[in-house]
Each structure stands twice: as C-alpha cells, then as structure tokens.
Amino acid sequence: MEKTNQNYLPLSERTGKLPHTLQNDYLFKVVMQSDRDILYSLLCSLLFLEKDEISSARITNPILPGEVIDMKTVMLDIKIILNDSRMVNLEMQNLNKGDWPERSLVYLCRIFSNLRKGEASYLGVMPAHQIGILDFTLPHLSEEFYSHFYMINPKTYEIYSDKLCLSVLNLKHRKLATEEEKRYGLDRWARAFLADSWEEFQMLVKENADFECVADSLYKILADEAQRDACLRYEERKAEEEQMVRTLQLVEEMRTIVQKQREELRKKDALIAELKKAQGTTEE
C-alpha cells in the first residue's frame, strides 16, 4: 500500500468502528489476495509452519476487487496451491445453515480431485486440506478452538491416508486455544477476524507487527467506494439468505411441533379406543 498518499492515515490515527469486518466473506477474500505476506502469515498459523517453509502460495480462484458478487454462482472460498505440492481451501462462514459438515466435505472432495492432466499415477494427487473458519458451534462436536479430522479406522485408529484433512477453526471457542495454537498466533488471527474497530487492530499490532499489513490492506480496500459497495451488497444478500434460513428453520420447527401434536392425539385416540373396548367387555 502506498503510504505517501495524502489521504493515508497511519494506523495510530485511525479510530472508530470498521464498516465491515473480515467475517465478510468478500472482504476476507480480497484481503487475502491483496498481499502475499498476509496470506503467508495466515497459512503459517493455520498449518503450524514457519515462514521459510512456504516458498509459494497461489490462489487459483481470485476475484476482481469491486465486482458484483452473485452468491448463487460465485464461491468465496479461497483455493490455494501451497508450495506446488498441496491443496488448501479456506472458507469464512458465520451463517449456520445446518449443513456445514456436508458442505465442507464437498469442498474437500473437490480440491482432492486434483490429478494433473496426463498424470500416469494416482500417487500424483496432492494432499487436500479443507479449513473452515466458523463463528458458530457444531453441536455434534466437542468444544475446541481448532479441530482436525482424518479418515481413520475407528477400531485401530489407523489413518487410511494422510492426504485428506478437514479442519475447523471455531471463533466461538477462541479462549480454548492451546499453547501451540497461541505460539503460531491463531488466537490473534481469531481476534483479527472478529475485530470491528481500528483500536482492536492497534492492540493486535502492538503484540505482533505482522497485523499492520492486515490493517493497511483493510484501510485501502474500505477506502475504495466500489469495494466498500461490494462489501455492503454482499452483506445485504447474506442478510436475505440468513432470513430465509431462519424462516425455513421456523417452518421446520412448526412442522415438528405439529407432528408431535398429531402423535399425541393418535396416542390419546388409541387410549380412548382401548378404554371403550374395556368398558364394553365389562358391561357384557
């Protein structure tokens, strides 16, 4: 970012709320593709790597900053080829549609189908790692900040293949971060994802200077009217989708209540029929 621009404000002078946070899927993707150092820093935290262990990280599905996003046709996950030898897919999600396990498995299978054209052996398939950054809990899972899942034998706990991994970074459980996760800065990234003010980024930068790049990328993107508008349009569509999900959930809840009431009525009718039958037998 060009810091000599007359409109540029250093981070120390920025105050107040952010118009959008990194939980905005569109903004998250634009920030990650805007600066290689930011992407490398996040990948090091998520994959427990040192900086010199990443030689390249190429986003294979970039978007044009400021473009209109059609939520039905444009996927805002981030597909990455890491070190030309590993597929990583990042997905920011704060809306629980009730289908995350299935959705994440689809993402994982898609990136695992990466055999290069003309490859003679399936051994050439690159390992695939799906990472979901969620701001909601999954009821069937234990409370954990960062969890990992593999294909294993449930009797022997042997891993069938280490080329498949599905991870969940749960922002709701950030206070449960382990010492290793803290050492790689995952707890700070969680705070960055949730930060809704410049003051929070100022605090993060005091702890780790790497977050100044994140704050400056946000500043540059949010200063651009077209990109700010794209963030807003995406959030409006997300809100509409969230309302639809809530409506469907409400309909399903009402259907469940009706089914329970019908079941109770059936039981009562059966009981009344039995009582009448017993009464008739007694009178005879």
Side-chain angles (χ1 to χ4, degrees):
M1 177 175 177
E2 183 53 62
K3 298 186 179 183
T4 58
N5 187 305
Q6 62 178 355
N7 295 321
Y8 175 80
L9 274 180
L11 178 59
S12 60
E13 296 180 22
R14 300 174 210 160
T15 59
K17 294 288 186 180
L18 296 169
H20 307 282
T21 73
L22 283 172
Q23 285 191 290
N24 180 297
D25 303 34
Y26 169 84
L27 183 58
F28 172 64
K29 186 164 186 174
V30 175
V31 167
M32 287 303 138
Q33 68 181 42
S34 71
D35 190 315
R36 187 187 71 174
D37 290 338
I38 295 174
L39 181 61
Y40 281 25
S41 175
L42 178 58
L43 288 172
C44 283
S45 291
L46 289 169
L47 302 175
F48 297 166
L49 299 174
E50 302 301 330
K51 289 184 178 180
D52 59 6
E53 293 183 85
I54 297 183
S55 58
S56 65
R58 178 167 59 88
I59 296 176
T60 64
N61 63 336
I63 57 174
L64 180 64
E67 72 174 316
V68 177
I69 298 298
D70 183 345
M71 291 176 66
K72 294 181 179 179
T73 59
V74 177
M75 302 302 292
L76 290 177
D77 57 327
I78 305 175
K79 294 183 176 67
I80 302 161
I81 298 180
L82 179 65
N83 294 340
D84 292 321
S85 61
R86 182 177 182 180
M87 295 293 302
V88 180
N89 191 63
L90 306 180
E91 168 79 357
M92 175 71 71
Q93 187 61 252
N94 60 6
L95 173 60
N96 186 4
K97 302 177 185 178
D99 63 354
W100 181 253
E102 293 77 12
R103 182 172 179 169
S104 58
L105 283 169
V106 169
Y107 284 149
L108 179 62
C109 292
R110 282 176 179 168
I111 61 171
F112 188 61
S113 182
N114 62 58
L115 196 66
R116 295 180 177 89
K117 188 175 182 179
E119 188 76 42
S121 170
Y122 281 100
L123 293 174
V125 173
M126 289 186 285
H129 193 165
Q130 160 65 30
I131 304 175
I133 303 169
L134 310 184
D135 195 24
F136 55 85
T137 59
L138 297 171
H140 67 292
L141 299 181
S142 302
E143 291 189 357
E144 192 175 7
F145 177 49
Y146 196 32
S147 49
H148 311 281
F149 305 90
Y150 301 88
M151 289 184 64
I152 67 167
N153 183 325
K155 291 186 291 185
T156 63
Y157 299 103
E158 296 169 305
I159 295 179
Y160 185 75
S161 171
D162 61 2
K163 284 194 171 186
L164 285 170
C165 180
L166 196 154
S167 299
V168 174
L169 183 70
N170 195 318
L171 302 181
K172 293 293 187 188
H173 299 320
R174 60 190 182 281
K175 293 182 180 180
L176 300 178
T178 65
E179 289 305 314
E180 181 179 33
E181 290 158 0
K182 290 178 181 178
R183 182 164 67 86
Y184 281 97
L186 265 182
D187 57 327
R188 286 191 291 268
W189 268 109
R191 287 164 55 196
F193 294 143
L194 295 168
D196 63 359
S197 71
W198 291 117
E199 287 81 1
E200 289 175 87
F201 272 101
Q202 290 166 3
M203 293 177 62
L204 280 167
V205 170
K206 287 181 181 179
E207 297 175 23
N208 188 312
D210 286 351
F211 284 95
E212 186 165 8
C213 289
V214 182
D216 281 345
S217 179
L218 276 170
Y219 183 77
K220 179 179 179 181
I221 293 167
L222 294 175
D224 182 274
E225 185 176 356
Q227 297 201 70
R228 200 166 57 246
D229 188 49
C231 288
L232 179 59
R233 290 198 304 272
Y234 184 76
E235 287 191 354
E236 288 173 343
R237 293 174 186 178
K238 195 88 169 181
E240 291 173 1
E241 188 179 76
E242 184 173 0
Q243 183 58 48
M244 183 175 65
V245 169
R246 287 176 177 172
T247 300
L248 290 174
Q249 289 175 340
L250 181 59
V251 169
E252 187 59 34
E253 288 173 6
M254 292 302 295
R255 183 181 290 115
T256 301
I257 291 173
V258 170
Q259 288 176 341
K260 286 182 178 179
Q261 290 176 339
R262 287 176 176 172
E263 184 62 30
E264 289 298 320
L265 286 173
R266 279 195 293 268
K267 289 180 179 179
K268 289 179 180 179
D269 288 343
L271 179 59
I272 290 171
E274 288 180 8
L275 290 173
K276 286 182 176 179
K277 184 179 180 180
Q279 185 178 13
T281 303
T282 302
E283 289 177 351
E284 290 177 3

